[in-house]
């Protein structure tokens, strides 16, 4: 029995090593994604500043919306990915899912920071205030705190399996908690403009088209960055393994 | 040994430890009182703003004091080196979590029972209605449920006391909002209050279940 176990461990190590190797191919996907997001960025910038019509009431500051919505959406999606990868990690105990979670958390924290800053600038010009305790804003701020807590926890605990499990649990609790936080703050008070994209005739088609292009572009950029961060996580794990084997 | 007697054994051990040392109760209680006193200075309470500030002051005191005690949950075991022995016991991990949770709820409740009359006296608010009981109970369970789970996570790091509030405060926002608003609704006559008690109950049930399921991953060595 003990022998079988030992063999299994050796085998696992071998597959782990080969998974390191197979990922070091020529980064075709990365380059394609990078090129696509670069092209998308140029098209989006042209559409946002020249193609999309000027808002009758809000003026130019409405154009922040084309950056703010994709960035906020990806920041929130990231946390769902962190939690999902956490669940899979707890079930499968495969390090690669932990790299996904960590990469997604780092990227999500960055995107949600951008969303908060952009939203704040927009709020200053339209609402006349940098910040208001509305349900979406408050939930986004709390999501930001959870991201930072997650990253701090992971950094304090280092690259161990205990750290991966703790991170997964934090992400699972967080992802269940966020809708409750949203609802509780909503009951408390709210002011954010409601989503108007789906409603017929609420927004002119050129605005919707620009928003869709911006969304696609940012999602491409997100996937590109996500791949890079995942590779970075993988390289860091590999470096740590090599360092441990040297000692 | 059944599950319940396992929980009971661990809980009773913690209570006896606490009865002998009296460390946690004393510091939590004093801390809660100090927060109330500081709030008194910070907000310059008058008759017209009392109803707006008093519930917040009460719950900030409770939350801060709870965090102080929650941080000790696993750390105290680790300092005595008894955590490994507890882990070696042939008990379900859920039993350890449940016992620690019940212990924390008990300790926080004792602090609240002491702090509430003093709060009512210091702030001169009539708070002794039966309706306060479910609010305090549900709020305490919510804070303790999340706090116990994360005290185990934070105990595994170098920076326990630093990290615990950073992880717990964002997550207990619904409980804090619900408890403060429900307490406020007792002091003033307000119409159309959302069902805060129901929200807190849902919060407690959801996170008790999730914590029971995930605790074993946190504490696994």
């Amino acid at each position: 029995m003990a022998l079988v176990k030992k063999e299994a461990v050796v085998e696992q190590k071998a597959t782990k090593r080969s998974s390191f190797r197979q990922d070091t191919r020529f980064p075709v996907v990365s380059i394609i994604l990078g090129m696509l997001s670069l092209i998308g960025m140029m098209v989006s910038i042209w559409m946002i500043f020249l193609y999309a019509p000027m808002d009758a009431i809000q003026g130019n500051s409405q154009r922040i919306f084309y950056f703010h919505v994709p960035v906020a959406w990806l920041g929130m999606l990231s946390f769902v990915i962190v939690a999902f990868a956490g669940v899979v990690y707890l079930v499968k105990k495969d390090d690669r899912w932990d790299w996904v979670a960590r990469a997604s958390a780092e990227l999500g924290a960055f995107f949600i920071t951008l969303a908060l800053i952009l939203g704040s600038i927009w709020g200053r010009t339209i609402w006349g205030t940098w910040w208001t305790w509305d349900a979406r804003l408050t939930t986004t701020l709390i999501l930001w705190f959870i991201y930072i807590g997650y990253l701090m926890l992971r950094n304090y605990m280092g690259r161990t399996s205990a750290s991966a499990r703790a991170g997964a649990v934090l992400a699972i609790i967080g992802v269940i908690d966020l809708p409750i936080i949203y609802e509780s703050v909503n009951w408390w008070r709210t002011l954010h403009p409601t989503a108007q994209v789906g409603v017929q005739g609420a927004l002119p088609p050129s605005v919707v088209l620009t928003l869709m292009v911006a969304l696609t572009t940012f999602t491409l950029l997100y996937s590109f960055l996500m791949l890079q961060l995942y590779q970075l996580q993988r390289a860091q794990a590999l470096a740590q393994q090599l360092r441990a084997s040297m000692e | 040994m059944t599950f319940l007697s396992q929980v009971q054994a661990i809980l009773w051990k913690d209570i006896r430890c606490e009865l002998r040392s009296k460390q946690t109760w004393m510091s939590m209680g004093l801390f809660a009182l100090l927060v109330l006193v500081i709030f008194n200075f910070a907000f310059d309470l008058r008759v017209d703003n009392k109803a707006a500030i008093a519930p917040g002051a009460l719950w900030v005191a409770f939350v801060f004091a709870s965090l102080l005690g929650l941080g000790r949950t696993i750390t105290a075991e680790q300092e005595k080196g008894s955590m490994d022995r507890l882990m070696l016991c042939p008990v379900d991990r859920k039993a350890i979590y449940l016992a620690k949770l019940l212990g924390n709820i008990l300790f926080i409740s004792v602090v609240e029972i002491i702090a509430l009359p003093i709060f009512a006296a210091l702030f001169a608010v009539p708070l002794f209605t039966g309706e306060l009981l479910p609010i305090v109970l549900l709020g305490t369970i919510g804070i303790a449920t999340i706090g116990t789970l994360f005290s185990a996570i934070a105990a595994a790091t170098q920076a326990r006391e630093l990290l615990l509030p950073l992880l717990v405060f964002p997550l207990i926002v619904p409980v804090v909002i619900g408890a403060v608003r429900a307490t406020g609704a007792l002091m003033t006559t307000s119409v159309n209050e959302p069902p805060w008690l129901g929200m807190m109950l849902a919060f407690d049930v959801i996170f008790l279940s999730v914590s029971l399921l995930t605790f074993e991953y946190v504490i696994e060595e």
Side-chain angles (χ1 to χ4, degrees):
Chain A
M1 191 61 207
L3 200 71
V4 172
K5 215 172 188 180
K6 205 170 188 181
E7 267 173 6
V9 169
V10 170
E11 209 171 312
Q12 223 175 10
K13 271 190 183 154
T15 51
K16 223 176 227 175
R17 219 166 287 146
S18 73
S19 81
F20 277 130
R21 207 165 297 145
Q22 81 183 17
D23 287 336
T24 47
R25 290 165 307 201
F26 188 67
V28 183
V29 184
S30 269
I31 288 175
I32 293 174
L33 275 174
M35 289 308 287
L36 279 177
S37 46
L38 185 69
I39 296 165
M41 277 293 155
M42 296 191 175
V43 175
S44 306
I45 287 173
W46 175 76
M47 285 184 87
I48 290 168
F49 289 105
L50 298 171
Y51 171 72
M54 171 102 81
D55 191 280
I57 303 154
Q58 302 186 6
N60 269 328
S61 54
Q62 186 265 339
R63 295 184 204 273
I64 292 177
F65 156 88
Y66 301 115
F67 295 99
H68 173 72
V69 172
V71 162
W73 139 251
L74 288 167
M76 288 171 195
L77 176 76
S78 268
F79 200 76
V80 178
I81 296 177
V82 178
F84 176 76
V87 173
V88 180
Y89 177 82
L90 288 184
V91 175
K92 286 193 175 169
K93 307 272 176 220
D94 184 344
D95 277 348
R96 280 178 292 184
W97 284 100
D98 185 46
W99 302 338
V100 172
R102 239 177 139 145
S104 186
E106 285 177 7
L107 202 48
F110 173 68
F111 273 81
I112 221 73
T113 312
L114 269 185
L116 282 172
I117 294 171
L118 288 172
S120 191
I121 295 169
W122 180 85
R124 177 72 192 143
T125 56
I126 304 303
W127 291 337
T129 170
W130 294 106
W131 186 260
T132 167
W133 294 101
D134 147 271
R136 289 193 200 195
L137 273 73
T138 311
T139 311
T140 312
L141 182 65
I142 290 170
L143 176 61
W144 185 82
F145 276 119
I146 296 176
Y147 267 128
I148 302 300
Y150 179 93
L151 291 175
M152 280 179 77
L153 176 74
R154 298 307 304 269
N155 278 332
Y156 273 129
M157 290 183 84
R159 202 170 281 282
T160 58
S161 64
S163 153
R165 285 194 306 266
V169 171
L170 171 59
I172 293 166
I173 297 271
V175 89
I176 300 169
D177 207 357
L178 282 167
I180 305 177
I181 293 173
Y182 178 79
E183 199 48 47
S184 65
V185 183
N186 201 16
W187 283 356
W188 188 51
R189 62 175 68 149
T190 212
L191 179 70
H192 198 277
T194 43
Q196 283 189 333
V197 176
V199 185
Q200 198 72 42
L203 286 175
S206 55
V207 171
V208 177
L209 185 68
T210 311
L211 179 64
M212 289 306 150
V213 170
L215 266 175
T216 317
T217 305
F218 271 100
T219 312
L220 281 169
L221 178 70
Y222 175 85
S223 331
F224 171 71
L225 291 174
M226 185 72 188
L227 260 179
Q228 312 311 311
L229 282 177
Y230 175 82
Q231 296 294 337
L232 184 65
Q233 290 294 331
R234 190 182 61 81
Q236 282 176 347
L238 177 62
Q240 199 191 35
Q241 258 183 28
L242 288 175
R243 216 177 296 132
S245 68
M246 294 288 279
E247 279 159 8
Chain B
M1 237 178 156
T2 62
F3 183 76
L4 277 181
S5 59
Q6 290 173 356
V7 173
Q8 203 188 355
I10 300 171
L11 177 61
W12 183 232
K13 168 193 81 71
D14 284 349
I15 293 174
R16 266 195 304 189
C17 256
E18 192 48 47
L19 282 177
R20 281 177 199 166
S21 70
K22 298 179 192 69
Q23 279 178 347
T24 316
W25 284 359
M26 282 296 286
S27 47
M28 276 166 82
L30 275 177
F31 186 76
L33 292 183
L34 274 173
V35 172
L36 289 178
V37 171
I38 295 286
F39 261 88
N40 210 14
F41 297 138
F43 286 114
D44 186 21
L45 284 170
R46 287 181 309 274
V47 182
D48 54 328
N49 64 7
K50 204 188 290 168
I53 290 170
L58 179 70
W59 278 97
V60 167
F62 283 175
V63 168
F64 282 8
S66 308
L67 257 285
L68 211 61
L70 287 165
R72 301 287 306 158
T73 317
I74 306 288
T75 319
E77 296 267 9
Q78 283 177 338
E79 278 167 9
K80 289 176 212 147
S82 54
M83 195 60 211
D84 298 332
R85 280 159 230 175
L86 194 61
M87 297 292 290
L88 281 173
C89 289
V91 292
D92 195 347
R93 299 281 182 263
K94 290 185 182 66
I96 299 180
Y97 175 76
L98 217 53
K100 289 287 175 195
L101 173 66
L102 288 174
N104 279 330
I105 292 175
L106 186 72
F107 297 157
I108 298 171
S109 303
V110 169
V111 171
E112 285 168 345
I113 289 168
I114 299 167
L116 264 175
I118 299 174
F119 166 76
L122 280 180
F123 285 62
V125 282
L127 264 180
F128 289 100
T129 48
E131 290 161 79
L132 190 65
L133 190 67
I135 301 171
V136 171
L137 196 65
L138 286 176
T140 307
I141 293 173
I143 295 166
T145 306
I146 295 282
T148 308
L149 180 69
F150 280 95
S151 72
I153 291 180
T157 66
Q158 307 286 311
R160 297 158 194 151
E161 278 79 14
L162 283 177
L163 203 53
L164 184 63
L166 294 184
L167 297 176
V168 171
F169 282 151
L171 295 170
I172 58 168
V173 162
V175 174
V176 175
I177 293 178
V180 170
R181 294 299 284 233
T183 313
L186 285 184
M187 293 169 57
T188 52
T189 46
S190 55
V191 283
N192 277 339
E193 272 297 305
W196 294 116
L197 278 182
M199 201 261 309
M200 278 153 72
L201 183 67
F203 184 95
D204 293 356
V205 171
I206 292 170
F207 287 107
L208 183 60
S209 330
V210 179
S211 303
L212 276 174
L213 287 174
T214 50
F215 186 69
E216 56 179 307
Y217 296 112
V218 170
I219 206 159
E220 196 176 287
E221 288 300 320

